């Protein structure tokens, strides 16, 4: 799963990238113009429940969910980004728009003023516009083809795109249109940007640190359903340099109870509608991320296609129940393991053992 960090020039994208990946980026890599490739890093998703489970099996390796993040170059102004930029952005599973909130007058904002709500509005419009361009192009082609030859599939696609077009023209993202499963499938190849989950992350000024838990107060006029999160890049970057003990003291002095990665990934899970399930293997205790409502057989496929193909049954217990009983064996003896079939919808926090035929 690839998550792309993008936004206007010098908003703090690389800073967030470093904080999430716990990796320092060398100075020369910071200059957008010189980059040929978009830097990518694997992030480990903090998971207190996995820590608990892992404490029952201290000799086994703990494996957190890994997500890949990409650090896009900054956008220079409100112009539509190049098609190459957009094509790369379309590969992402979710978008993270890093928004300038800090005021520092020595760092010039490409739009000339610090106005996070306006930045969110403008970039949202850009994404919608880029989808509209695609829809118009495709409709033109479909209309031409359908004049030559009747094709029921192409006709259906045309009808769906004709429903989406006015929505985009009014400035609404495709996300707001309730797509059926077959419609979603029909659109998959387009990788529409306004259909992707998007999180706006505001890089706050140190003076605004008190607004960290409720950034919406600093964003008057922003629709309440737009997901936002705040972080203070400058402080968090300093935290990266510290040892654990010093870090706790430093955080305490700013009244911070948690660093950004925990809050970021929780919010990202929410907007991407992800949940975690867990497995206890011979050598490792591991967390896996799947979309909500994933059937057990598909969750098995996340681990290995052989387990999906040979799926027999899933033995399931909520992680908290398992931890209460101390081990898988004891939970089994207490009759707490449920046997579930292929269609069982995996729940957040399930610990699962998949029985399968090889
Ligand atoms: N005052 C202040 N400066 C910050 C903060 N976060 C980042 N900066 C500075 O802003 C500049 C840009 O930060 P980056 O993280 O490189 O921003 P970016 O969005 O990756 O920039 P481009 O990739 O060039 O678009 C750097 O000089 C940072 O030191 C902050 O919270 N406060
Ligand atoms: Mg950068």
């Amino acid at each position: 799963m690839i998550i792309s960090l993008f936004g206007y020039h010098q908003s703090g994208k690389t800073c967030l990238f470093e904080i999430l990946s716990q990796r320092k980026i060398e100075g020369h890599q910071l200059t957008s113009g010189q980059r040929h490739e978009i830097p990518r890093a694997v992030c480990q998703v903090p998971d207190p429940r996995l820590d608990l489970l892992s404490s029952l099996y201290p000799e086994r390796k703990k494996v957190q969910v890994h997500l890949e993040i990409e650090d896009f170059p900054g956008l220079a102004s409100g112009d539509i980004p190049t098609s190459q930029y957009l094509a790369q952005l379309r590969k992402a599973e979710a978008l993270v728009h890093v928004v300038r909130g800090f005021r520092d007058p020595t760092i010039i904002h490409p739009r000339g003023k610090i106005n996070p709500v306006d930045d969110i509005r403008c970039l949202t419009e850009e994404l919608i516009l880029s989808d509209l361009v695609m829809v118009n192009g495709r409709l033109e082609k479909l209309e031409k083809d359908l004049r030559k030859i009747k094709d029921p599939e192409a006709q259906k696609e045309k009808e769906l795109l004709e429903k989406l077009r006015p929505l985009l023209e009014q400035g609404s993202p495709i996300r707001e249109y309730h797509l059926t499963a077959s419609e979603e499938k029909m659109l998959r190849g387009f990788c529409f940007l306004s259909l992707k989950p998007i999180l706006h992350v505001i890089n706050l000024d140190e003076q605004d640190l008190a607004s960290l838990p409720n950034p919406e107060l600093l964003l008057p006029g922003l629709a309440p359903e737009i997901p936002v999160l705040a972080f203070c890049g400058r402080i968090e970057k300093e935290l990266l340099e510290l040892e654990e003990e010093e870090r706790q003291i430093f955080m305490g002095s700013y009244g911070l109870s948690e660093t950004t990665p925990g809050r970021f990934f929780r919010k990202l899970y929410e907007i991407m509608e992800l949940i975690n399930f867990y497995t206890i293997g011979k050598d490792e205790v591991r967390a896996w991320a799947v979309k909500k409502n994933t059937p057990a057989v598909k969750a098995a496929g996340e681990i290995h296609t052989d387990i999906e193909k040979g799926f027999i049954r899933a033995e399931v217990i909520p992680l908290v129940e398992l931890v209460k009983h101390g081990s898988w064996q004891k939970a089994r003896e207490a009759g707490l393991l449920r046997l579930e079939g292929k269609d069982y919808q995996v729940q957040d926090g399930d610990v699962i053992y998949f029985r399968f035929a090889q």
Side-chain angles (χ1 to χ4, degrees), residues 13-14 30 35 71-72:
K13 297 174 294 298
T14 302
L30 292 174
R35 287 198 199 138
D71 177 22
F72 269 66

Side-chain angles (χ1 to χ4, degrees), residues 109-310:
H109 189 300
R111 302 189 67 241
K113 58 184 186 316
I114 311 298
N115 186 337
V117 176
D118 210 37
D119 285 358
I120 291 174
R121 187 183 54 75
C122 278
L123 264 195
T124 305
E125 278 174 11
E126 300 263 3
L127 301 184
I128 291 171
L129 197 58
S130 78
D131 285 351
L132 183 59
V133 169
M134 263 183 123
V135 166
N136 282 337
R138 180 67 184 157
L139 274 173
E140 213 173 286
K141 168 135 193 355
L142 283 171
E143 278 157 16
K144 215 185 271 169
D145 291 352
L146 280 165
R147 252 180 262 132
K148 282 188 231 146
I149 186 165
K150 267 202 164 27
D151 174 354
E153 282 307 306
Q155 182 61 33
K156 268 194 223 157
E157 188 185 331
K158 177 173 166 282
E159 283 163 17
L160 175 58
L161 294 180
E162 278 171 346
K163 275 191 241 169
L164 297 178
R165 177 156 58 184
L167 194 82
L168 292 164
E169 281 169 345
Q170 286 158 26
S172 304
I174 301 176
R175 208 179 307 114
E176 284 177 12
Y177 181 88
H178 292 286
L179 295 167
T180 63
S182 67
E183 286 175 334
E184 206 178 305
K185 205 166 159 198
M186 215 184 289
L187 296 185
R188 210 166 281 161
F190 293 102
C191 304
F192 285 125
L193 290 169
S194 75
L195 185 56
K196 295 184 191 294
I198 182 164
L199 176 61
H200 304 274
V201 184
I202 323 288
N203 186 7
L204 287 185
D205 213 272
E206 276 174 57
Q207 283 97 319
D208 294 326
L209 202 59
S211 300
L212 209 61
N214 38 17
E216 53 287 347
L217 298 182
L218 291 177
L219 306 167
L222 192 73
E225 66 276 10
I226 294 180
V228 287
L229 188 82
F231 78 117
C232 181
R234 175 143 295 174
I235 293 177
E236 286 269 349
K237 250 184 102 164
E238 281 183 45
L239 286 172
L240 275 185
E241 315 276 331
L242 303 176
E243 295 296 328
E244 185 53 30
E245 200 176 321
E246 279 180 304
R247 187 182 305 180
Q248 290 303 330
I249 297 169
F250 190 85
M251 282 171 68
S253 69
Y254 278 104
L256 295 171
S257 55
E258 193 184 12
T259 53
T260 296
R263 297 186 307 114
F264 174 86
F265 286 112
R266 272 203 304 281
K267 192 79 182 174
L268 193 70
Y269 263 54
E270 216 179 274
I271 68 155
M272 294 180 76
E273 301 189 322
L274 293 176
I275 55 167
N276 271 6
F277 75 90
Y278 300 86
T279 54
I280 305 166
K282 258 197 334 290
D283 311 309
E284 60 182 33
V285 176
R286 183 162 183 164
W288 305 84
V290 286
K291 289 259 179 207
K292 265 183 203 162
N293 305 327
T294 296
V297 65
K298 287 287 164 208
E302 286 293 313
I303 302 172
H304 204 290
T305 45
D306 288 351
I307 310 183
E308 180 178 346
K309 277 189 215 138

Side-chain angles (χ1 to χ4, degrees), residues 290-337:
V290 286
K291 289 259 179 207
K292 265 183 203 162
N293 305 327
T294 296
V297 65
K298 287 287 164 208
E302 286 293 313
I303 302 172
H304 204 290
T305 45
D306 288 351
I307 310 183
E308 180 178 346
K309 277 189 215 138
F311 184 99
I312 300 172
R313 279 274 188 279
E315 290 185 272
V316 184
I317 181 170
L319 188 143
V320 275
E321 282 294 311
L322 176 64
V323 171
K324 243 190 258 168
H325 284 78
S327 75
W328 186 262
Q329 192 51 37
K330 284 186 192 146
R332 183 192 294 285
E333 284 160 16
L336 293 170
L337 302 183

Side-chain angles (χ1 to χ4, degrees), residues 18-37:
E18 289 180 303
I19 293 163
L20 295 175
S21 61
Q22 307 278 300
R23 197 180 98 178
K24 187 108 192 61
I25 307 295
E26 295 308 320
H28 68 270
Q29 286 178 269
L30 292 174
T31 323
S32 311
Q34 290 172 359
R35 287 198 199 138
H36 299 297
E37 269 186 25

